[in-house]
Amino acid sequence: MTLRQRLALRLYRAVWYPALPFVRDYFRRRGRKDPAYLEHMEERFGQGAPFGATVWVHAVSLGELRSAVPLIRAFLDRGERVLITHLTPAGRRGSEAAFGPEIAAGDVAVRYLPLELAGAWRRFFGNYRPRLGLAMEIEIWPVMIDEARLAGVPLWLANSQIPERSFARARRWLPWIGHPVRGVAGVLAKSRIMAERFRALGAPNVHVVGELRFDQPIPARLTEAAARLLATPEGAVLRGRHVVALASVVEGEDEQYLAAYRLVQERFRAAGRVPPLFIHIPRAPERFGQVGDMLEASGQRVLRRSHAFDADLALADPRLAEADILLGDSLGEMYFYLALSDLAVVGGGYVEKGAHNVIEPLALRKPVLVGPHVWTIEYPGREAEAAGVLRICPTIPDLAQVMGDLLLDPAALAAISGRTESFFADHSGATARSMAILEPLLDTTP
């Protein structure tokens, strides 16, 4: 690093200490909605029960964990012990659910990621002593990267990307303070374009491996539960009624999607058809109650998954046939909702933060619609749109129009589902390509 870059890193490190009261206040505020934010606080300072890990995988939340699962499974298959870190309780709960038997056997441990404090990171590496670290997606923390280097832990960015907006900002600052990716051991990029951007920022050892989410296993328990529901007398009514899943709906979108529901309902009623059942799935669990109350207050007939189904996803409320909206107030059951659906709308696209993962609905061969803000899913969004398996709808009236057009045209839905077969064949295999690069590192790192 240049002198200017070293000074910038020192300033960044120093700012964290006077900012700690504000950081603690942030966790207290989040803890009012989700008390789990206040648990295991010692881990955010590098403390916690020691665990001898050979591989450390950081996945900020639930979405990043899902992309990491195939890679974590591959490491476990070769006998490695894996430490998984998260920033959010949703991610932690996801790991505990996905790797419960491995945690019980002592092969996997789950912790929170330390804050950007040198002492916290030194305690972290002293406690866990990994031989290899992987930060999933776009988790680029300067102190994490620098302390891993100082601890002698090769830290790779895996399944990684630099969205176009982030890249533009990084390029503006690059001549002045450089970019933290210069300090990583290597990058496993999702696409050729992403690899070029990492190289432009100075990252070493950049490889194109593809998107790990194309390799994630589809939970048979959830798809089989959907099939059982459709086979019951109570659930059979859904076979003759269209179902639309609104996946990962974020704050600021609920009212917009509600307006789309009304437009589609009016169109179906005018055509003498039964309107679709909309499955409304908020992304953040702390919003479940608030969103459910809002939907009920709107006059829609709402059932909540927590009341309508038991723990085994068997229907416990026969009013499903009469409902307008099923609120997906549960975690880790997205494939159940998608398996019931004819069509999926992926949330985030109607706010500036951008759309979320589109691969899960495509994995079940569902046509996907998103809003205009797709910079967050540049890959594989561009490729999916070009392949005709994803549609971008600039406005809510556009979304309602496209939903209605597709639902009223079964041949169009079937054609899109057919195209996803070849789309998946063209984009799978990222786990094997990643392991081919990472396994030799474990074999040679002392």
Side-chain angles (χ1 to χ4, degrees):
M1 292 188 289
T2 66
L3 175 60
R4 182 185 294 154
Q5 291 162 2
R6 289 198 296 271
L7 290 174
L9 180 59
R10 288 183 182 179
L11 177 61
Y12 173 81
R13 285 176 175 268
V15 164
W16 269 86
Y17 291 92
L20 273 177
F22 302 98
V23 174
R24 291 181 184 275
D25 183 61
Y26 165 82
F27 284 113
R28 281 193 292 270
R29 285 186 282 110
R30 294 302 299 263
R32 293 189 193 112
K33 293 184 177 180
D34 185 349
Y37 271 97
L38 302 177
E39 298 172 358
H40 308 289
M41 283 299 296
E42 73 282 359
E43 294 174 7
R44 300 192 188 269
F45 293 87
Q47 299 168 347
F51 177 81
T54 51
V55 179
W56 156 47
V57 177
H58 174 57
V60 58
S61 193
L62 190 57
E64 291 77 12
L65 169 69
R66 288 171 179 156
S67 70
V69 165
L71 205 54
I72 294 171
R73 291 285 178 202
F75 283 122
L76 291 172
D77 287 345
R78 61 166 269 151
E80 308 297 343
R81 301 181 80 220
V82 181
L83 171 70
I84 308 172
T85 59
H86 301 285
L87 282 178
T88 70
R92 188 181 190 119
R93 287 189 287 258
S95 279
E96 290 168 348
F99 298 102
E102 291 81 4
I103 293 170
D107 297 322
V108 171
V110 184
R111 303 284 188 270
Y112 283 124
L113 190 77
L115 300 172
E116 287 280 89
L117 305 170
W121 277 105
R122 288 165 192 173
R123 285 189 290 272
F124 175 86
F125 287 119
N127 267 344
Y128 307 118
R129 302 186 180 279
R131 290 163 50 197
L132 175 67
L134 302 173
M136 307 302 298
E137 304 285 346
I138 50 175
E139 282 295 283
I140 301 171
W141 293 95
V143 175
M144 174 183 75
I145 292 171
D146 200 44
E147 290 296 330
R149 179 184 61 82
L150 293 172
V153 177
L155 177 60
W156 285 67
L157 304 181
N159 205 47
S160 205
Q161 62 175 329
I162 293 280
E164 188 173 4
R165 292 186 184 182
S166 302
F167 180 62
R169 289 195 297 268
R171 288 292 296 271
R172 286 196 296 270
W173 287 99
L174 191 63
W176 299 96
I177 59 174
H179 196 279
V181 296
R182 293 183 174 185
V184 302
V187 178
L188 305 177
K190 294 186 179 187
S191 69
R192 178 185 56 80
I193 291 175
M194 300 301 168
E196 291 172 355
R197 291 174 184 170
F198 277 112
R199 293 187 184 108
L201 296 178
N205 299 325
V206 179
H207 305 264
V208 180
V209 298
E211 167 66 74
L212 287 169
R213 283 188 175 95
F214 284 103
D215 296 344
Q216 65 185 356
I218 298 174
R221 180 184 73 87
L222 300 179
T223 55
E224 289 169 1
R228 285 195 303 271
L229 172 62
L230 294 174
T232 64
E234 297 82 5
V237 67
L238 297 181
R239 295 204 302 270
R241 182 185 181 189
H242 291 296
V243 180
V244 181
L246 283 292
S248 298
V249 177
V250 302
E251 189 171 4
E253 289 188 312
D254 302 290
E255 292 82 1
Q256 297 187 70
Y257 287 136
L258 184 57
Y261 302 163
R262 289 174 175 144
L263 289 171
V264 175
Q265 288 166 346
E266 290 170 4
R267 181 174 176 183
F268 269 69
R269 290 181 183 123
R273 302 280 298 273
V274 178
L277 171 69
F278 295 100
I279 306 179
H280 193 100
I281 313 159
R283 180 170 177 84
E286 59 266 29
R287 297 181 61 241
F288 288 163
Q290 171 195 348
V291 173
D293 293 344
M294 184 276 293
L295 293 173
E296 289 173 348
S298 73
Q300 298 281 323
R301 295 172 295 181
V302 180
L303 277 184
R304 305 186 188 214
R305 178 264 178 263
S306 55
H307 299 157
F309 296 88
D310 65 17
D312 296 321
L313 291 170
L315 186 63
D317 191 329
R319 293 177 297 166
L320 180 65
E322 304 168 0
D324 299 311
I325 299 173
L326 172 64
L327 178 70
D329 58 344
S330 65
L331 286 173
E333 295 179 347
M334 184 67 74
Y335 280 108
F336 172 69
Y337 302 129
L338 292 171
L340 293 174
S341 307
D342 303 295
L343 175 68
V345 179
V346 173
Y350 287 99
V351 295
E352 286 289 336
K353 290 184 178 180
H356 289 285
N357 171 32
V358 298
I359 295 175
E360 290 179 350
L362 291 173
L364 293 184
R365 311 311 187 241
K366 308 297 180 181
V368 176
L369 308 180
V370 293
H373 298 291
V374 292
W375 62 277
T376 45
I377 55 165
E378 186 177 356
Y379 179 86
R382 287 181 178 178
E383 291 76 3
E385 185 183 21
V389 298
L390 176 146
R391 292 274 296 273
I392 298 172
C393 303
T395 68
I396 288 296
D398 293 330
L399 175 68
Q401 181 69 42
V402 174
M403 273 199 283
D405 290 345
L406 289 175
L407 293 174
L408 293 171
D409 187 353
L413 282 174
I416 296 172
S417 297
R419 287 196 290 269
T420 59
E421 293 286 349
S422 57
F423 181 74
F424 258 72
D426 291 341
H427 291 86
S428 60
T431 303
R433 288 189 287 271
S434 298
M435 291 300 290
I437 295 164
L438 298 173
E439 282 185 301
L441 301 176
L442 285 170
D443 294 336
T444 57
T445 302

